[in-house]
Structures are given as structure tokens and as C-alpha cells.
Amino acid sequence: MKLSQRVQQLTSSKTIEITSMANELKKQGHDVIVLGAGEPDFNTPEHILDAAAEAMNQGLTKYTPAGGVVELKDAIRAKFQRDNRLDYKREEIVVTVGAKHALYNLFQVILDPGDEVIIPSPYWVSYIEQVKLAGGTPVIIEGKEETGFKVTPEQLKAAVTENTVAFLINSPSNPTGAMYTRQELQALGDICVEHDLTVISDEIYEHLIYGDEKHVSIASLSPELKARTVVINGVSKTYSMTGWRIGYAAGDARIIKAMSGLSSHSTSNPTSVAQYAALEALTGTQEPVERMLSAFKERRDYVVDRLQRIPGIRCDVPQGAFYVFANVEEAVQSGGYEDADAWGKALLEQEKVALVPGAAFGSSAHVRLSYATSMDQLQQAMDRIEKFVTRS
């Protein structure tokens, strides 16, 4: 049987490839430490689990509106007012099957064949593939290491063509943890307003920030930017609810209505029980979030300190998320490897530590390490990486 051309153009996932190799080694009895996870290692907080159980006991297990239940939409609106000083109406909010689903639906409803979306690198792997699936063309601009992996207004302006439809920004970033300041966002936003671009702001890591810098939503900077921005968010990272699959988007009512309509013909609705769990996450105590954030900061500081003391590896201190994007170019060269991908595979084979090669995110000189695992595992992993590099 034939496969469609749009599916055949998809690039295989390096994350899945490394995970498969790690799982195979585990089956063979090896002690493998996997630092590729894009999810917190904590369980979903107890009060959220209780809310899900209560929803089931109340019989809230049936179809819901495709765009989400009213109670959750109102909680999302309140969250935007509280955290971002943004006011949205119900018809400007859609609940989706994870933030990834929100992005997928958004690209499907705003892109036609040949439309261009400007995406800074390093980037989350699915941005590129989702744009291509919608018939669009990803246009990559490089966030250089020396500028903190952030792109400049000059780079954005130079990349705009008559086919450019949108600009995507992810702050804090996966994979780098980089975060844009208010001034930087304003400068980029001015270019978007000037060229009539839709702004896609992925803010899934907004509550996982470790320094004094505060998260700023680009939509909050001016009425003009709010009108052209679609904010993507969800409960997965902040509340350790990755498997519950609840995301959401906020923006222009026409776009939100189209996204909801697309869901009605694909997923129907986000899982009913998960929606009520997300409602509790947004409206209940935030104390578990503070505990997770404290643990992540301790892990981040430890991993960065260890990596910075290993010859041939350098890395910035990430401001947010739970990843370190480490430059291993010198270690690759001194070890005689072709690139960071080959270096990472050798590390997995010899020391049983699994990382994600940076090529998956647009940089062949880097690897991504997730510190969303226990300190014991991180300590062992750093020891093994140091042993691997110094032996090479």
C-alpha cells in the first residue's frame, strides 16, 4: 500500500532513535541512564489525582465540547489574567490534546502550500515537521551560542519574504533553556507588526524559570501584538502531567474557532477526566510546583557545574526548562568522532548514558541533557560522561 508524500517527507526522530537504543541495552541487562526525557520525573500532584478520581465518580466521563469544557476555559482565562496580564474571552480559548496538538492544529488552519514560518534554531524537533505536514516551509534563523541562543531583530527582518506568514518563538526554550527579555521580545514583536506576521508563542515552560528574570508573554506587550499572537501552553511540564495530554491556545477568535473545528473532525474532545484534572491544576495549590522547581534548580546547578569542569565540554547556565544544551565539539574532535551524533552513540555504547544529539534541534555541535531525573542518576551520569571524555 502507498504512503502519502506528506508523511514520506517527515524526518525520523533522533530522540526516538536514541531511546530505542537505550531500551535495547536495558533489555540486555545493562544499567542505562537516560537523560533524554522531556518530562518531569515527579508523579502528578496528589490533589490533581484526587480531582480526576472525583470527576470519574461524578460520571464526568462523556463527550465534552471539542474545544474544552467551560470551567476549564474560564480557569485558563483566569490564569492568563493572573500570570500574564492578558484578558481573553471564552471564544478566544481552545483546549487541546496537549500543547503539541495545539501547535499542529494551528499550523493546519493558518498555512497553505508555500507559506513560510520563521523558526529560530535551536528548535524543538516537532516544529519543523508540523510546518511541513501543513504544507508550509520552515525558514530557520540561527540563535548563536555567543548570543545565548537567541535571535536578533536584524536576523528576523532579513528572513522575511513575501511568503512569510508567521514567526515562532519559544521562551523559555527547549532545548537550550534560553529566555528572551521584555526588551528583546518587544524588538522582535515590532518586526512582526511591521510585516503583518502572525506570532506563535510557545510558553509551555513559563513556570520553570530559575533566576530573577521573569517570564514575559510577547502577547502582553501591546494591543497590536496581542491581536496577532497565538499563545500555546499546557499543564504537562509545570504540573508533571505529560501523559494527561491537556494543552491550550489563546488568540484571535477566528483562528481559535477553526482550531476547535479541526479537533471536532479529528480527536473530538480532549479527554474529559483529564480536563477536570487540569482544572484543579490551574486553580488548586501551587505548592507542588514550587517544590519541583526547587529540585530542578538544584539539579541544574549540579549538572552545569560538573559539565563545565569536563575538558572539551562547555555549556551556558540555562535560565528555564529542564535541559542543558552542551557544546561537545572539542570532545568530539579530540575523541576522533565524526560529529556529536557519533559521539553520543559511543557514549551510550561504552558508558551507557543516553543523550539526545543536537542535530535533532538544529546544531551538530551540541547534545541535549535532561536533568528531569534523580540526583543519584545525575551524579552517576556525570561520572560516566567524565570518564568517557577523559579516556577518549
Side-chain angles (χ1 to χ4, degrees):
M1 293 186 288
K2 71 180 285 291
L3 291 173
S4 68
Q5 291 183 0
R6 63 180 175 278
V7 169
Q8 291 183 59
Q9 71 176 336
L10 292 179
T11 304
S12 61
S13 170
K14 291 289 184 182
T15 306
I16 293 176
E17 181 182 338
I18 290 293
T19 302
S20 297
M21 291 174 62
N23 289 337
E24 184 58 35
L25 287 169
K26 284 183 178 181
K27 288 179 183 178
Q28 296 171 14
H30 295 286
D31 176 23
V32 181
I33 300 174
V34 180
L35 301 183
E39 61 181 348
D41 57 313
F42 303 98
N43 193 20
T44 303
E46 196 70 29
H47 68 289
I48 299 174
L49 300 177
D50 291 342
E54 180 61 25
M56 287 186 281
N57 291 333
Q58 291 181 16
L60 299 174
T61 57
K62 309 298 182 184
Y63 289 129
T64 76
V69 297
V70 166
E71 298 92 332
L72 180 53
K73 284 189 174 186
D74 284 346
I76 293 167
R77 293 171 61 209
K79 173 257 175 270
F80 275 117
Q81 292 169 341
R82 178 184 68 240
D83 297 343
N84 311 108
R85 298 183 180 179
L86 285 167
D87 290 315
Y88 289 105
K89 301 173 183 177
R90 280 183 187 166
E91 59 266 31
E92 295 174 319
I93 302 288
V94 62
V95 183
T96 56
V97 187
K100 182 182 285 189
H101 182 220
L103 283 161
Y104 179 87
N105 277 10
L106 176 59
F107 290 130
Q108 290 292 325
V109 304
I110 67 169
L111 297 181
D112 287 315
D115 286 345
E116 295 176 352
V117 179
I118 298 174
I119 301 173
S121 74
Y123 45 72
W124 179 51
V125 295
S126 290
Y127 294 146
I128 307 299
E129 306 308 320
Q130 289 192 356
V131 169
K132 293 191 309 191
L133 279 171
T137 302
V139 175
I140 310 304
I141 53 177
E142 182 185 3
K144 297 182 183 296
E145 192 170 346
E146 53 266 32
T147 59
F149 297 110
K150 294 185 283 188
V151 298
T152 65
E154 292 74 22
Q155 285 178 289
L156 175 57
K157 189 165 187 174
V160 175
T161 73
E162 61 181 12
N163 297 318
T164 307
V165 169
F167 169 62
L168 188 153
I169 191 163
N170 175 212
S171 177
S173 160
N174 173 11
T176 67
M179 191 168 71
Y180 287 82
T181 66
R182 177 182 295 272
Q183 292 74 21
E184 290 167 339
L185 290 171
Q186 184 66 67
L188 293 169
D190 289 345
I191 303 297
C192 294
V193 171
E194 178 186 350
H195 292 277
D196 193 27
L197 305 182
T198 296
V199 179
I200 304 166
S201 183
D202 183 350
E203 303 179 10
I204 193 70
Y205 293 99
E206 72 164 314
H207 291 300
L208 297 177
I209 296 171
Y210 308 104
D212 295 329
E213 193 76 44
K214 301 299 182 184
H215 173 266
V216 176
S217 174
I218 194 170
S220 70
L221 297 181
S222 70
E224 293 81 9
L225 276 169
K226 179 175 181 287
R228 67 181 58 255
T229 299
V230 179
V231 178
I232 305 293
N233 211 324
V235 298
S236 294
K237 313 297 183 179
T238 301
Y239 301 100
S240 196
M241 294 178 68
T242 51
W244 296 81
R245 308 313 302 135
I246 296 294
Y248 53 87
D252 179 85
R254 284 189 316 123
I255 289 177
I256 297 301
K257 182 179 180 180
M259 292 173 66
S260 182
L262 183 58
S263 288
S264 72
H265 291 293
S266 54
T267 58
S268 288
N269 59 270
T271 302
S272 59
V273 172
Q275 290 189 65
Y276 290 101
L279 173 62
E280 176 63 24
L282 292 174
T283 60
T285 177
Q286 303 298 296
E287 195 270 338
V289 178
E290 295 169 7
R291 285 203 309 269
M292 284 191 284
L293 187 63
S294 177
F296 283 143
K297 183 180 185 301
E298 180 186 7
R299 297 171 185 180
R300 179 203 67 167
D301 293 346
Y302 173 78
V303 169
V304 168
D305 178 65
R306 285 293 304 273
L307 288 174
Q308 288 179 339
R309 288 191 279 129
I310 298 175
I313 296 179
R314 69 173 187 266
C315 63
D316 291 336
V317 180
Q319 293 176 280
F322 38 69
Y323 312 104
V324 175
F325 204 56
N327 188 311
V328 296
E329 197 166 24
E330 287 185 26
V332 167
Q333 292 173 356
S334 63
Y337 297 99
E338 182 180 354
D339 53 24
D341 191 350
W343 184 88
K345 287 178 180 177
L347 173 65
L348 177 56
E349 290 167 357
Q350 295 178 33
E351 293 297 335
K352 308 302 182 286
V353 177
L355 314 173
V356 184
F361 310 100
S363 173
S364 59
H366 293 78
V367 293
R368 190 193 76 174
L369 300 81
S370 169
Y371 48 87
T373 190
S374 70
M375 279 296 292
D376 179 63
Q377 288 276 283
L378 291 172
Q379 288 165 358
Q380 291 186 55
M382 294 305 107
D383 289 344
R384 294 183 190 186
I385 293 171
E386 184 172 13
K387 178 182 175 184
F388 174 73
V389 172
T390 54
R391 184 177 64 240
S392 299

